[in-house]
Amino acid sequence: MALLVNAGLVSADIKPYISTQADYNTECKTCPRSLCPNQLYYAGEEAFNVTCWTRGTKIMGDTLWLKSEAGCYVTQYDVLEYPGDYTTNLDYCGPESEEQDLTVEDATLKYKTECRICPEISCDTVAYLKENTDVELTCWYPEGQVIIDDPYWLKTTNNCYVAQKNLYSKPDITYLDPCGPIPFLEIELHHNANGTSDVNKRAPAPVPATLGTQYLINVTVGEEYAYCRSCPKESCSSKKRYEFNQEIWLQCLTLSNDTWWSETTDFCYVKDSDLWQSPSGDYYNNPLCEKFEGGAPDPDEDGRRR
């Protein structure tokens, strides 16, 4: 009889659910892994119930994830601190809950690309990827920041998003899952400690830019002719000649001999002084080309770091 009483006391500790709320914007995923698509998301201070616990991608040092009453998973780090212990107060979701089932498609970047934590240019940069970098796409999102004329962004196994416009060709999204709804996220609150591929990783900028980066930016030629050169120097050979008021697209900025140059989508360099707009001025904050090289260039060859 004593054994039956003890068993009853143990089961009484298990709750059918625990009420909580999101501490920050948080994604509720189809599995407890960073690369899994979102089923929905909870905004900061939004209340919901969690019904069981499981293990998944380590977020800010924490591998515990919680299953929402909606049937999707949120990292424990993103909800208010619980005074008890989820692992003793809730049932374990089961070993199948820890599985990751992804759709994956290979692609190659056509341009220098900032891979962002969410599909907007105001979102933090996770990785700087060079042109011709091979990436693995996991899902697609149709309502991101419009780049030139395309609002589609794709999530990569770097756990960040690239604009479809930056790929050599559009992927066949019939083979990929939709990413689901995506909230605004910040790296400092949602650092992914493991669980994603290290392939093609680049170090993010150590300090956020004062102005939101704009990429790819659209400018027009302000001189009768603007020569696009093979390197950011007047002595370099001309690869193209742009005409007055011609529309061109810029990838990044570099400083050479106290002169700002911009690399265009034709992979040549045009002087900023030949343009109507000033990419290095107050209206834009285009990324530095050196960011895509994994380090600072030789100042004797490519100019000084900004």
Side-chain angles (χ1 to χ4, degrees), residues 140-302:
W140 54 274
Y141 184 71
E143 298 176 350
Q145 180 89 42
V146 175
I147 302 299
I148 302 182
D149 59 1
D150 191 339
Y152 278 75
W153 289 62
L154 292 303
K155 189 171 187 178
T156 76
T157 51
N158 287 136
N159 195 34
C160 52
Y161 297 84
V162 296
Q164 179 173 255
K165 199 67 178 182
N166 293 33
L167 303 176
Y168 268 108
S169 58
K170 293 182 179 180
D172 186 347
I173 61 175
T174 59
Y175 292 99
L176 293 174
D177 288 331
C179 296
I182 302 169
F184 178 81
L185 301 172
E186 298 174 273
I187 289 178
E188 66 173 326
L189 300 177
H190 300 90
H191 176 64
N192 176 18
N194 71 354
T196 58
S197 170
D198 287 331
V199 176
N200 304 324
K201 278 281 189 179
R202 300 290 187 275
V207 179
T210 303
L211 302 174
T213 300
Q214 301 206 22
Y215 179 94
L216 304 159
I217 69 168
N218 175 228
V219 295
T220 48
V221 175
E223 298 293 335
E224 185 176 0
Y225 297 111
Y227 291 94
C228 197
R229 301 187 180 277
S230 60
C231 72
K233 294 180 181 179
E234 290 280 9
S235 58
C236 297
S237 61
S238 175
K239 294 180 64 177
K240 292 185 74 71
R241 188 177 75 171
Y242 300 127
E243 298 183 356
F244 179 73
N245 267 350
Q246 182 175 342
E247 183 179 82
I248 59 176
W249 298 88
L250 309 181
Q251 298 193 65
C252 59
L253 283 164
T254 190
L255 185 65
S256 179
N257 296 326
D258 295 323
T259 300
W260 285 105
W261 296 73
S262 293
E263 184 177 6
T264 76
T265 52
D266 294 313
F267 295 97
C268 50
Y269 297 86
V270 62
K271 283 193 303 184
D272 285 6
S273 57
D274 288 342
L275 307 173
W276 279 118
Q277 300 84 354
S278 176
S280 57
D282 295 333
Y283 297 103
Y284 303 104
N285 191 12
N286 219 16
L288 295 176
C289 298
E290 68 190 54
K291 297 290 187 184
F292 301 94
E293 300 297 333
D298 184 336
D300 293 331
E301 294 182 4
D302 296 301

Side-chain angles (χ1 to χ4, degrees), residues 13-163:
D13 292 338
I14 301 297
K15 303 177 187 295
Y17 65 87
I18 294 174
S19 297
T20 186
Q21 69 180 50
D23 209 3
Y24 322 100
N25 288 348
T26 186
E27 299 165 306
C28 197
K29 294 180 168 293
T30 58
C31 80
R33 307 282 177 175
S34 291
L35 295 182
C36 292
N38 299 341
Q39 180 174 315
L40 52 88
Y41 70 81
Y42 295 109
E45 301 184 358
E46 184 173 351
F48 59 97
N49 297 326
V50 294
T51 59
C52 62
W53 66 271
T54 189
R55 291 176 289 263
T57 302
K58 184 182 290 185
I59 304 294
M60 304 298 286
D62 190 348
T63 60
L64 189 67
W65 287 63
L66 304 167
K67 189 173 185 178
S68 160
E69 59 191 346
C72 48
Y73 299 87
V74 297
T75 170
Q76 179 188 226
Y77 182 84
D78 283 357
V79 301
L80 292 182
E81 186 174 353
Y82 176 57
D85 185 343
Y86 285 114
T87 63
T88 57
N89 294 157
L90 287 176
D91 281 325
Y92 172 51
C93 299
E96 69 281 354
S97 68
E98 298 187 32
E99 296 177 1
Q100 175 177 267
D101 184 18
L102 294 178
T103 55
V104 177
E105 186 172 343
D106 294 332
T108 303
L109 297 173
K110 184 176 182 180
Y111 306 121
K112 291 178 173 64
T113 300
E114 293 170 290
C115 196
R116 296 183 177 276
I117 194 172
C118 46
E120 299 284 338
I121 61 173
S122 58
C123 297
D124 293 336
T125 300
V126 172
Y128 293 93
L129 307 178
K130 289 185 66 175
E131 66 273 15
N132 297 320
T133 296
D134 295 325
V135 293
E136 291 180 309
L137 310 175
T138 64
C139 63
W140 54 274
Y141 184 71
E143 298 176 350
Q145 180 89 42
V146 175
I147 302 299
I148 302 182
D149 59 1
D150 191 339
Y152 278 75
W153 289 62
L154 292 303
K155 189 171 187 178
T156 76
T157 51
N158 287 136
N159 195 34
C160 52
Y161 297 84
V162 296

